[in-house]
Amino acid sequence: QVQLVESGGGLVQAGGSLRLSCAASGSIFSISAMAWYRHAPGKQRELVARITSGGYTNYVDSVKGRFTISRNNAKNTTYLQMNSLKPEDIAVYYCNAAVRVPDRDEYDIWGQGTQVTVSS
């Protein structure tokens, strides 16, 4: 069974930092893109950052210069370093990965979500 396990959320003061981690486990041939999404109360889920297997990254404008996505392909893990956090970053953050497994076309899997709260 392929799954994503996230960690690293929590409560931080405005201006502080958090680092989210997401590890994929199971019988995985490969992972192309890995990404972080967030869902804030009363808002639609949005793509925060995405990284391809080759290291190409893209970010939503609101986090550019503050957040950095990275990955360790050998460990099937992605990270989201979040600096200069603001109250508007409050959300549940979800990890997403496009995985290829035996006997199946590539498909998306999701983590369970981790809460990020920023106090002003």
Side-chain angles (χ1 to χ4, degrees):
Q1 181 180 358
V2 178
Q3 61 178 354
L4 295 177
V5 178
E6 303 160 359
S7 60
L11 171 64
V12 65
Q13 288 188 333
S17 298
L18 284 173
R19 188 189 193 217
L20 306 183
S21 298
C22 171
S25 62
S27 298
I28 299 171
F29 273 158
S30 63
I31 302 176
S32 55
M34 302 187 82
W36 290 93
Y37 287 76
R38 65 186 178 187
H39 192 186
K43 296 183 179 180
Q44 290 188 331
R45 184 183 65 186
E46 69 172 350
L47 173 63
V48 176
R50 181 177 181 271
I51 185 169
T52 66
S53 58
Y56 177 81
T57 60
N58 60 282
Y59 300 88
V60 67
D61 286 346
S62 60
V63 309
K64 287 180 180 178
R66 300 189 297 121
F67 291 11
T68 302
I69 189 171
S70 61
R71 66 188 282 177
N72 183 324
N73 291 332
K75 295 183 177 180
N76 288 334
T77 300
T78 184
Y79 309 95
L80 186 67
Q81 178 66 43
M82 304 185 294
N83 298 330
S84 302
L85 281 160
K86 305 175 181 179
E88 49 262 48
D89 296 316
I90 294 173
V92 178
Y93 284 70
Y94 295 90
C95 179
N96 168 271
V99 302
R100 187 176 299 278
V101 302
D103 301 323
R104 185 172 176 179
D105 292 336
E106 184 176 89
Y107 67 101
D108 278 354
I109 57 174
W110 292 86
Q112 79 282 5
T114 185
Q115 177 70 46
V116 171
T117 303
V118 183
S119 63
S120 55

